[in-house]
Amino acid sequence: MEFHQMYDPMGNTFLSTLLAAVPILTLLYFLAVHPHKDKLGRRHHGIAAPKAAFIAAIVTILMAIWLVDMPVSSTLAAFGYGSLFGLMPIGWIIVAAMFLYTITLVTGQFDIVKSSVVSLSSDRRIQTLLIAFSFGAFIEGAAGFGTPVAIAGALMVGLGFRPMVAAVLCLIANTAPVAFGAVGTPIITLANVTGLPESALSAMAGRQLPFFSIIVPFWLIATMVFMHKGKWKQVIEVWPAIVVTGVSFALTQFAVSNYIGPMLVDIVAGIVSMLALILLLKVWQPKNKFYLPGEEEEMKTLEVQESQYSRGQVAKAWTPWAFLTLFVFLWGLPQWKTFLNSLNFFGLKSIYNISVPYLDQLVFRGPPLAKESAPEAAVYALNWLSAAGTGVFFAAILSGLFLRLSKEQWKLSVVRTAQRMKTPLITIALVLGLGYTTRYSGLDAILGLAFTKTGDLYPFFAAMLGWLGVFLTGSDTSSNALFGNMQRITADQLGLDPVLIAASNSTGGVMGKMIDAQSIVVATAACYEDRNEGANAVGPIFRAVFFHSIALAVLMGILVMLQAYVFPWMIPTYTL
């Protein structure tokens, strides 16, 4: 049965928008607000993530059926499609990353990694810049889709950061690089859905995000210091590291995006940023070290112990992470993906494109989201070999072989990873199911269309629409696919530059990455050893990052406004 999306089902824009928001408000309420008491009688706000996601998923399904008359079969198909995507490829990435991390733990190699990082700098602010921002940006550029938060978060927890702190910092850091993540996939997708030149969209994003690539490292360190009840002085005294990290990344981000294209932006900028910071640390160190509460003596001991490890031992300990970097980079290359997808193993294909029953080509999206009513594809790609998680898994297997794990260590690594990932995988599946249901039912489009009625203020709200899109879908790529063409159509109607407005969907969207439920669940899966503790941490983490997300999105909206009306020369020239 065909289903044509309705964008004003109640015949009243305000009421339709309010009702369309009910599923999202339900999720937010149960994640961050609903009061409950734990077994010890302590009062908390927000229930465990799996329960909150389950309740919100039920509400979403009911609203899709009742509010916009989506057929029950199509609604359930959309939810199932999203849930499968949540498990593969998203969940697979996290499982594989945790498997590699666990291997380094059970072999004791992570202790050597920890001490080698301390040898660069025992200052926690420097470690935050190096791992959460620079290394995280590199991983974002190569793989995206939650990988940087998982890997950087696990690294930081292993180094001694509290899980809550590591999760918050990695979520904030994973903003400025996101539009060029996964080898430029968000910008490439935006070009495909809008018909605008990919080079122009890349250049435009590269004239917006570098400002935030400079701001975010400062923002990151300020957040980290204040989370530990520090002072402004402790933020300012590492300004050389903040400036070198941010400026080196921003300049590279601008140059590559404007003169090469979107595919290698984060990979190159991440490497340049890491190298620049490491070189700085050879000639400069903060005068006063910043340690986490109660760890000063431990860190001083580690600084002394580093001399006990030879270069060979340090190189061996870092080898799994070198394997990870190599495989993530390789699996991110389009040519390699194409090659892997062409392989056939004794009749077993490396990719299966499965048309989703009751959904594929049966949901029609119409104006103003599209120029004319057209069916939506719903094809689940089971690319088990070319999925980013498979690359990470191969890196983990190779690491285990290289480190010569015993049979007992292999078993321990598998069991600990499985125990840790059970609850997060359920939550990710529920959240992605919810997101896909809102997408195919058109509930998210109803919310997005509310932004198009803002007239001259639309450049500001174009960025906020991108923010909403990523919050709803969990992906800058999905947000661009959902709202990209509508952004262009609205820009043409208002006489605004379509490249500026379309690009702002992606650059504004990156600020919503830190608050989408998928990213937060990935962060808790990576940072919390105890799965129940991690499930209960989703609400507190959401509350902790929400202000940062809103504030940075507002700043991006202001920048887009200035580029539209005050500094139009910043918009690249292009021909259609």
Side-chain angles (χ1 to χ4, degrees):
M1 180 186 297
E2 290 185 356
F3 167 66
H4 293 261
Q5 292 181 348
M6 297 185 290
Y7 305 127
D8 187 11
M10 303 303 294
N12 180 289
T13 301
F14 175 78
L15 186 57
S16 294
T17 303
L18 182 63
L19 290 173
V22 168
I24 303 303
L25 294 176
T26 301
L27 179 63
L28 293 181
Y29 172 76
F30 283 104
L31 275 181
V33 180
H34 185 74
H36 78 283
K37 291 183 179 181
D38 60 21
K39 295 179 180 179
L40 299 176
R42 294 172 299 190
R43 187 178 176 87
H44 299 275
H45 288 284
I47 63 176
K51 296 179 182 178
F54 179 75
I55 295 170
I58 296 298
V59 171
T60 304
I61 291 171
L62 293 176
M63 290 298 291
I65 296 170
W66 171 74
L67 181 62
V68 295
D69 291 329
M70 189 177 190
V72 174
S73 58
S74 296
T75 304
L76 296 178
F79 184 83
Y81 180 23
S83 297
L84 283 174
F85 187 81
L87 295 174
M88 176 71 182
I90 305 298
W92 177 222
I93 293 173
I94 316 307
V95 170
M98 286 303 99
F99 184 45
L100 184 144
Y101 173 58
T102 304
I103 285 173
T104 67
L105 287 180
V106 302
T107 56
Q109 296 300 312
F110 198 86
D111 290 333
I112 303 176
V113 168
K114 180 178 178 179
S115 62
S116 67
V117 171
V118 172
S119 72
L120 285 173
S121 179
S122 60
D123 192 295
R124 293 302 195 176
R125 297 164 297 187
I126 304 299
Q127 294 173 7
T128 298
L129 289 172
L130 185 64
I131 297 172
F133 184 80
S134 299
F135 182 65
F138 170 80
I139 298 297
E140 174 66 36
F145 298 104
T147 314
V149 174
I151 293 173
L155 267 171
M156 292 183 73
V157 169
L159 287 169
F161 285 81
R162 288 188 293 114
M164 174 77 172
V165 173
V168 168
L169 294 179
C170 288
L171 287 167
I172 293 174
N174 192 40
T175 49
V178 169
F180 297 107
V183 202
T185 299
I187 294 296
I188 294 170
T189 300
L190 186 63
N192 290 336
V193 300
T194 61
L196 295 170
E198 180 183 301
S199 59
L201 291 169
S202 175
M204 188 69 253
R207 301 181 188 196
Q208 295 173 327
L209 288 173
F211 294 104
F212 292 85
S213 298
I214 295 173
I215 293 172
V216 168
F218 176 82
W219 200 294
L220 193 63
I221 298 307
T223 302
M224 184 258 192
V225 168
F226 294 137
M227 286 185 78
H228 295 97
K229 300 180 180 179
K231 301 177 181 178
W232 272 111
K233 178 184 177 182
Q234 293 169 304
V235 178
I236 301 302
E237 64 187 8
V238 290
W239 70 264
I242 294 173
V243 170
V244 166
T245 302
V247 170
S248 62
F249 188 93
L251 290 177
T252 308
Q253 187 180 48
F254 169 79
V256 177
S257 62
N258 275 263
Y259 301 109
I260 298 177
M263 295 180 63
L264 298 176
V265 175
D266 287 344
I267 294 172
V268 177
I271 292 173
V272 169
S273 181
M274 282 188 283
L275 291 176
L277 180 55
I278 291 171
L279 290 174
L280 173 68
L281 294 174
K282 298 293 184 182
V283 298
W284 172 90
Q285 287 282 343
K287 184 177 180 181
N288 301 305
K289 297 293 179 66
F290 186 93
Y291 300 118
L292 302 179
E295 71 167 9
E296 184 172 352
E297 291 303 319
E298 178 189 355
M299 294 302 290
K300 288 181 178 179
T301 301
L302 280 172
E303 289 175 353
V304 175
Q305 286 180 344
E306 166 58 17
S307 60
Q308 298 179 2
Y309 299 115
S310 66
R311 290 185 178 179
Q313 287 176 305
V314 173
K316 179 181 178 182
W318 274 101
T319 298
W321 302 98
F323 287 153
L324 173 69
T325 300
L326 173 64
F327 277 79
V328 165
F329 174 73
L330 186 61
W331 254 251
L333 294 176
Q335 299 91 334
W336 182 248
K337 283 182 176 290
T338 301
F339 168 71
L340 292 177
N341 288 335
S342 68
L343 297 179
N344 192 310
F345 299 91
F346 306 103
L348 177 65
K349 296 180 180 179
S350 55
I351 181 171
Y352 290 89
N353 292 308
I354 305 168
S355 177
V356 181
Y358 306 108
L359 191 66
D360 184 35
Q361 303 298 321
L362 294 177
V363 173
F364 285 74
R365 181 181 299 179
L369 268 73
K371 292 182 179 179
E372 56 185 28
S373 184
E376 288 285 287
V379 179
Y380 177 64
L382 182 59
N383 56 332
W384 60 271
L385 186 57
S386 64
T390 304
V392 178
F393 179 72
F394 283 161
I397 295 297
L398 187 58
S399 298
L401 296 174
F402 174 79
L403 297 175
R404 298 183 179 180
L405 266 69
S406 66
K407 182 178 179 180
E408 291 73 20
Q409 287 175 324
W410 278 113
K411 181 179 179 180
L412 180 60
S413 298
V414 171
V415 170
R416 287 180 62 176
T417 302
Q419 290 174 339
R420 187 171 186 171
M421 291 307 303
K422 180 180 178 181
T423 301
L425 285 178
I426 293 172
T427 309
I428 291 170
L430 288 170
V431 168
L432 266 294
L434 183 157
Y436 272 56
T437 304
T438 61
R439 171 187 169 187
Y440 281 96
S441 65
L443 292 175
D444 49 9
I446 296 173
L447 296 174
L449 286 169
F451 286 91
T452 65
K453 305 182 185 301
T454 53
D456 291 340
L457 294 176
Y458 185 71
F460 174 85
F461 286 101
M464 298 305 295
L465 177 56
W467 173 85
L468 175 68
V470 174
F471 169 59
L472 293 175
T473 65
S475 163
D476 200 47
T477 300
S478 297
S479 175
N480 289 342
L482 177 65
F483 291 137
N485 195 56
M486 185 177 74
Q487 294 271 26
R488 177 178 182 174
I489 292 171
T490 306
D492 290 337
Q493 292 174 342
L494 296 176
L496 297 166
D497 190 283
V499 163
L500 170 66
I501 300 302
S504 69
N505 190 82
S506 193
T507 56
V510 305
M511 307 310 174
K513 186 67 176 172
M514 71 179 84
I515 60 168
D516 79 77
Q518 170 195 315
S519 293
I520 295 176
V521 171
V522 167
T524 58
C527 297
Y528 285 85
E529 185 79 28
D530 187 313
R531 62 180 184 271
N532 293 321
E533 186 181 357
N536 288 322
V538 172
I541 291 173
F542 176 83
R543 293 194 296 271
V545 298
F546 187 77
F547 163 77
H548 302 287
S549 179
I550 287 286
L552 288 168
V554 167
L555 290 176
M556 178 59 77
I558 293 172
L559 174 62
V560 177
M561 282 281 288
L562 291 173
Q563 290 176 327
Y565 298 125
V566 182
F567 306 118
W569 52 267
M570 295 184 69
I571 302 172
T573 56
Y574 60 93
T575 55
L576 295 176

